[in-house]
């Protein structure tokens, strides 16, 4: 087995949101909002005794989430940890005129087949559409 690092396959998803970048950032930086928009992957979430960590209920069981946010840079990188795997997800909110862009990058974990990774990344489109709807209409 090789221990040489390799470049992982990645997919970056973006969504344009007609809402100020500061508003989008504030909504996403609050993990308690995630079940409202990350409807495929986050069924429920609650704070833990560990600072910055949240306990999530996901379709695959319990997982932990930590958002490493920086409002000045618009970064919302987050760490995802479950029993069988863990990974980091870079994310960012970028101003676009009076609106904003939300960008999120997924790296394929070594344990995921290409087909499973593609299936999981495709589900994110539903979540991003939900995020857009919530932030643009309040519904």
């Amino acid at each position: 087995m090789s221990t040489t690092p390799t470049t992982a396959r990645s997919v970056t998803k973006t969504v344009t949101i007609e809402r100020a970048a500061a508003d989008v950032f504030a909504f996403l930086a609050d993990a308690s909002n995630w079940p409202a928009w990350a409807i495929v992957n986050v069924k429920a979430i609650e704070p833990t005794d560990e600072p910055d960590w949240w306990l999530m209920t996901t379709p695959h069981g319990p997982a932990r989430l930590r958002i490493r946010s920086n409002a000045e840079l618009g970064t919302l990188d987050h760490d995802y940890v479950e029993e069988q795997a863990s990974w980091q997800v870079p994310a960012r909110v970028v101003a676009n005129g009076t609106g904003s862009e939300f960008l999120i990058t997924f790296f394929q974990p070594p344990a995921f087949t290409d087909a499973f990774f593609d299936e999981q990344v495709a589900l994110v489109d539903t979540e991003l559409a939900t995020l857009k709807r919530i932030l643009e209409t309040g519904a």
Side-chain angles (χ1 to χ4, degrees):
M1 180 172 172
S2 173
T3 58
T4 305
T6 61
T7 301
R9 180 174 167 228
S10 67
V11 173
T12 299
K13 298 278 188 166
T14 65
V15 62
T16 301
I17 301 171
E18 293 299 330
R19 184 95 180 250
D23 295 342
V24 174
F25 180 89
F27 182 83
L28 290 168
D30 182 351
S32 68
N33 290 325
W34 284 41
W37 71 272
I39 58 174
V40 174
N41 291 302
V42 182
K43 302 303 179 192
I45 195 163
E46 61 187 70
T48 69
D49 292 335
E50 294 178 74
D52 303 324
W53 284 97
W54 293 76
L55 179 62
M56 298 187 301
T57 302
T58 77
H60 307 289
R64 295 178 346 124
L65 173 74
R66 175 176 59 183
I67 303 170
R68 292 176 284 111
S69 61
N70 180 313
E72 184 179 343
L73 299 175
T75 56
L76 292 156
D77 297 351
H78 49 284
D79 302 312
Y80 177 88
V81 179
E82 65 177 31
E83 185 176 308
Q84 298 174 346
S86 66
W87 53 85
Q88 295 179 334
V89 180
R92 187 167 191 172
V93 175
V94 178
N96 178 359
T98 58
S100 59
E101 302 291 328
F102 176 56
L103 302 85
I104 187 166
T105 299
F106 301 94
F107 295 100
Q108 182 174 340
F112 284 15
T113 65
D114 287 347
F116 182 73
F117 180 69
D118 291 343
E119 177 184 297
Q120 295 304 303
V121 169
L123 293 172
V124 173
D125 293 335
T126 299
E127 295 182 332
L128 295 180
T130 302
L131 176 67
K132 179 180 177 70
R133 186 189 78 246
I134 289 170
L135 288 172
E136 289 183 353
T137 68

